[in-house]
Structure formats: structure tokens, C-alpha cells
Amino acid sequence: MVLDARAPIRHVLTTLGLVLAGTVWFVLFRLGLAGPAWPVYWLLPVSGTVATYAIVRMTHQVTLVPEVRRFWARIAIACASVSTGYTLLAVDVSRNSIGNRPPPIGPIAASFIGLGLGMAIWAVASVPMGRPRGSQWRLLLDRSIAFFGLAALLWHFCVAPMLDAVDPWSDAGIALVALACLLAMGGVAKVSYVAGGPVDRTAVRLVAAVGLTAAVMAMLAVQMGWGGDVPGQAIVLPVAPLLLALAVRSQWQAALTPPSAPERPAGSLLPYLAVGSVAITLTAVATGNMSWTDRLAMLLAVLVGLLVTARLGVGFRDNARLLAERQQSEEQLQHEVTHDGLTGLANRALFRDRLAAELRVRDAVSVLIVDLDDFKTVNDSLGHAVGDRLLVSVAEALRTAVGGDGLPARLGGDEFAVLVCDRPELGTHVAQRVLDALGRPLGPDRLLVQASIGVTTAAKGTTLDIALRQADVAMYAAKQRGKAGFVAYTPGMEKPILTHIQLGGELRRALDAGEFRIHYQPLMRLEDRIVIGVEALVRWQHPTRGLVPPGEFIPAAERTGLIVPLGRWVLRESLRQFAAWLAEFGPDTIQKLGPNVSARQLHDPDFVGDVREALAESGVPAERLVLELTESEVLRGRQVLLALHELHELGVRLALDDFGTGESSLSLLRAFPASIVKLDKSFVDGIEVDDGDPAAADARQAVARAVSQLAGALRLDTVAEGIENAGQVAKLRELGYTLGQGYHLAKPMPPEQMRKLLRAQASRPVVAAP
């Protein structure tokens, strides 16, 4: 059922309007401008009817638990009964008033009012209030203080004057005043210590406050006689229906909004108010017919009580401040335990707890794993301070992109996550929003960063680890598909990913077991096919799969970091073999050794030291070692360039492999200490084709010609890669290339076969290389 949230507001405004109308009427009455007093007796019946209607409407439109429904049903009966009694009184006053003096209340009207007050007492006394804080003895003591403190005040000002009055009160009048006082005392004593419960806290307190209006009305009647009836009927009694209307609104609102955090009970101040009420009572007694000595002693006792109360109040305030500071510290500590210190996002522990909890109660949730692509380059090239600022900016972009659709978290390093609970079908939409947010320059450094995102939707009952593994698998699939995108998990997707992960474990074993081999591809002079150098290429001799090509295991070695120890082994083993060939065939037989180097190796702070040690162990001169690396690896940041310059100063030569396919080839030739440029195979393919169209032939040869001329101007050696036929050799020689490499010249071969080739070459005269 759709609740009309405006209905309780209308009831409140109506009863408030009646209170204001009664107040205005009373002012006019005191000025002699309002006429007879009997119309004001109809305010309570009218406003009471409005309050009763508000309660009944709420019980029919709002879904309430049985205990709450019974409470409000009793309050509705009490309100209707009191309104009926005052309606009978209003009719009697309208007919039988003598001037502005009302007639005594009739027995039937008194019975309805008494029944209503009794029903209200029963409702307040029986309502469940939840489990209170502290011990039962402390609660009983606090309630007793409140009850008897208010009892002392009401006894002196309400009940005692009735019993001592010269004109005796009727039994009905005494009973009604006693019930009103009992409702005020019992209601205040109970609901001031509300700790929760099914009935709204504020609503219960407002209902209990109705008893105070009855007690005030009783005080006016006792202290002023029938003269207190007019202000009571005009101002005091209409407040009771207003309080009930406010209580209905509070209960109605509680049905529309989730429960708030438990508040500190207002009853913690009530004992001090009770002591104050006793002090007021004693002061009133002291001003009566007593000797001055007795009066002074009682006033001093009151003063001491007030001072003690003030002292306790100061202590209470200090304790409250200390508790608030402690709570704030605990909340801060809890926040630090569950949130990332750098970005302020939820951390891994909080994310796992939330995910596990949601998987237990929701039909489905979506999990996103967001991994930044190549973030290590930022740290290595620009420093960790810039990297931290970028992570903060990424977290802010993630928080904005996710919005209210999920919980963003930082799992650690450059890995983030998002939990989408309310609408799990939004998982892929949130992933796209994250990619869009990361597609703009971020932070004060205005850096661009990309991310690979894995998305999975986990059903209720799925374990925490399975949901995270599925999202992880999807994220790795996104990286394998080119990065900077998202992939949604599908069953079976983990098989190739798992194979890839298992491959990393096998690589570690293979490295320890010595299963890797090095093949050497000759680098030849094009004019006479003399071998002047070799490129060292690693191969994996798998015990069951045979010879595994590098394209299958090098990416896994890069991802796992095993490329560093593997590259170190390739460097030492190829230098050892190169030194053996030099010793066997002479220093002029072969001039260059070219192992490939990855960007991961160049980021290793020990790489330059490893090269220095390997050269020293092998005895190979540094100028004969040519480290081959691609343009994209050179562009990996400041750490890489520093390592390359150290190698250059050591005497090691550097070669740009696959030249022409990178992003900044021309600028690299000036910034990078290269000695050799290797023309990529893509610019060699088709260079020999002669289709009779000179313009097309020039276009195919343009890059190769430009690279040769540029390298010549910069005094760099050039090598053409991927030569597959004699026609390409002839055309490359025409364009100025003197060195080449490819299957047409020689395929990669094991050391034994390379040794045979070098022996055959050593048996004939060697012409000096250009």
C-alpha cells in the first residue's frame, strides 16, 4: 500500500490551529471582548475527535506489528472516551452555566473521562519498550526517583489542596485528578528511559506527555477553583490532542523510513529534574505557615540539595564529554581499520565483510575488480609521490562514477573493486562509467590512466572466494584482450586464464630444473653472408610438450616477474657460449652477441650490476654485447633511461628492435644512446615486389629508405629483419642496407649447429666487416 505522507501533517495542522484559536479566544476573553465562556468547552471534543480519527486512519493505512497496533488501539479508545466525556460536559455547560461558572461535572461525563484516562494508563504501562541499557536495579532506581519526585510536586499542588479544601470536592473530581496525576507520573517514569522497542520512541513520549496536560489542568482547577476552568479549556486541554497528532505523525514517519541509530535516552537527565521538583515542593511548603527557624532550615536543605544536584550535573556533563571523545576516537579507529589510509575508500577487509554479508541475504550481487594498466610505469618514471596522487584521483573518479549504485574499495596497490547490491544488473553499466571517468586526465598532474575491469554477478549463497575469483578471472581476460576495457564473467572463462596462471608455476619449476635452451639466429652481411653476430633467443624444452615457442611463455614470465631471473640466465649463458666460440675460433670470427631485454628487466635496480658481473665472468669485451630492446620498452620512464645510459657508459651497445612500429621513433634516436637500428619485418615484407607501378613501389620502399638515410646521418648501424627471399636482399642492398637477419639467411639454431656454421666460416678467409 502506498502511504500518504501528507495525512499526518494535516492532522497536526488542524489540532495546532485549534490550540491557537483557543489562545486567541482566551486573550479576547480576558479583555472582555469574547462573550460567554461556554463555546471554549467545545475545543477539546473537536480536537479530540481529530486526534482519534488520525489514530484510526494510521492503524488502517500503516503496516504495524501486533504490539504496536494494540498500543494505538488502546490510545484511540482512550482518546474517544475522553472526547465523549468532554462532549457531554460541553453540552451541560452550554445549557446550565451560571454566567461563566460551569456546573459540576456529571457522573456520566466523569465516567467516560475516567475510563479514557484509565485506558491511557493501561496503554502506556503495557507497551513494550525494548531492552534498556544498564542494570535492572539502576533502571528501577532511576524510575523511582522520577516517579516520586513528580509525585511530591503533584501531591502538594493537586491532591493535598483537594483533601484540605474548605468546600469538599466530589469523589468523581478527586478520582479524575488522581487518575490524571497517575498518568503523568507513570508515563514520565516509564517512557523517559526508552531504549527502543516496536513503538516509535518519540511517539510514546508524546503520548505520555498528554498526562502532563491533564496534571496541569488539575493544578489549575485546584489552585483557582472554577476560575481556572476557562484557561484550562481554552489553552491547556487542546494541547493534548495536538500531542497525539504529533505522536501519530512520528509513528507514521517511522513506517516510511528505516530505523535510526539508538539515541542516548532523555531519561538520563530526569533524576535531576525530579530533585528540582522536590526542591520546588519544599520551597512552597517553606513559604507557608511555619516558624522562621524551621523555614530557614528547610530552605538551607533545599539549597544543599540544589547544590548537590548542580555538582552531579557538572559531573554528568564532564562524563558525557569524555564519553563523546572516547566514542569519537573509537569511531575514528574503526574507520581507519576498515578504510584505506591513502584514498579513504573501503579497504579489502571491509569489502570482503560487506560482500560476504550481501551474498547471504540478497538474490544476486555484482562484483567489479578494477586493475590499473601499467601503473608501475608511473611510479618508476615519475616517482611514488606522483603515483600516490594519481591513486587518490582514481579513487575520487571511482567514487563519482559509482555514485549511489555501489561500494567502491581499494584492495591494495593499483587494484580497486566495486560492490553493486541493489541493482546487480547495473554491473556492466557501472564498469563503463568507470572507464569513461578514467578516460580523462586526472589529478593535479593531469595524467591519463587506463584500467582493465572484470565483472561478475554472483547469486545468493555463492561463496566469497568464488565471487572474487570469477571477477579476477574476468579482469585477467580483459587484460589479455588488450586492456582498457571490461569483460563480464562467463562459465568456463577461467580455464584459459587458469592455464595461463599455471604456466607461471611451471616456468618457475622449469627455471629451477634447467629446461630452458638458447637458440642463436645469425646476423649476416648481405653481400657475402658472413656471420658477424648472433641474436640469443630463449626456448623452453618442456618434458612432455617438447619445444615451446617464446610467444607462449614470455608473456607469462613478464606477468609473474620470472622474466628477470630468466633474462639473467639467458645473459650469462649466452655470454658463456659466446666466449667459448671466441676462444675456439678466434676473436675475429664473430663480433656481436644480441640477447633481448624486457622492460621488466630494465626496471630491476640490479640489472646493470648483473650485466657487469656477467661480462666479468665471461671475459667478453663490453663493446661486443648488444642488448636488443623495443621502442615501447625504452619509453617506460626515467628508471629505464638511467639504466640504458649506465649501460652505454659501460661500453655495452644498444639496439632498437622492431624500429618504426613505436610511438616516438625519431625523438628516440636523439634521446636514446642507440648504436644499431633494426628495421621491423613489416617494412621488409613486399619491398621486392615489382608490379609495374613505380609510385606503388616507391611507397613500399619509402620507410626502409628513410630509416637507412636517417641512421646514416646519425652514424647508426642498420639491420633489416625478417628477410625471406633473395629479392628482398637485393632491394635492401640498393637502399643502403649492409646487414640482415631472417629465415632466408639462417633460421635460429641450437649452439651445436651454430658451432658448425662458425667452424665452416672460420675455414675460409674473413673479410673485415664494414
Side-chain angles (χ1 to χ4, degrees), residues 249-265:
R249 180 181 181 274
S250 183
Q251 184 71 64
W252 198 302
Q253 191 67 27
L256 297 174
T257 56
S260 59
E263 63 180 17
R264 180 176 63 86

Side-chain angles (χ1 to χ4, degrees), residues 3 17 49 69 72 77 140 205 269 307 496 506 525 548 565 567 581 593 658 672 695:
L3 301 181
T49 302
R69 188 174 296 279
W72 285 108
I77 293 173
L140 179 60
R205 289 170 179 164
L269 295 175
L307 291 175
E506 285 196 69
R525 285 204 307 250
V548 180
W581 288 333
L593 170 66
D658 302 333
F672 170 59

Side-chain angles (χ1 to χ4, degrees), residues 5-21 46-47 49-55 57-58 72 202 206 238-253:
R6 297 172 297 177
I9 298 295
R10 291 195 292 266
H11 303 148
V12 171
L13 293 177
T14 301
T15 53
L16 177 61
L18 291 171
V19 171
L20 295 176
V46 174
S47 57
T49 302
V50 173
T52 304
Y53 172 74
I55 298 172
R57 183 173 183 182
M58 179 188 67
W72 285 108
T202 303
L206 289 170
V239 172
L242 173 61
L243 293 174
L244 289 177
L246 289 171
V248 169
R249 180 181 181 274
S250 183
Q251 184 71 64
W252 198 302
Q253 191 67 27

Side-chain angles (χ1 to χ4, degrees), residues 391-410:
L391 287 174
V392 172
S393 300
V394 168
E396 185 60 33
L398 189 66
R399 189 182 289 110
T400 301
V402 174
D405 293 327
L407 170 70
R410 184 188 178 204

Side-chain angles (χ1 to χ4, degrees), residues 717-736:
D717 292 337
T718 55
V719 176
E721 294 184 295
I723 299 174
E724 296 182 350
N725 55 62
Q728 292 176 349
V729 173
K731 182 58 64 176
L732 288 168
R733 292 188 63 192
E734 289 180 15
L735 296 175

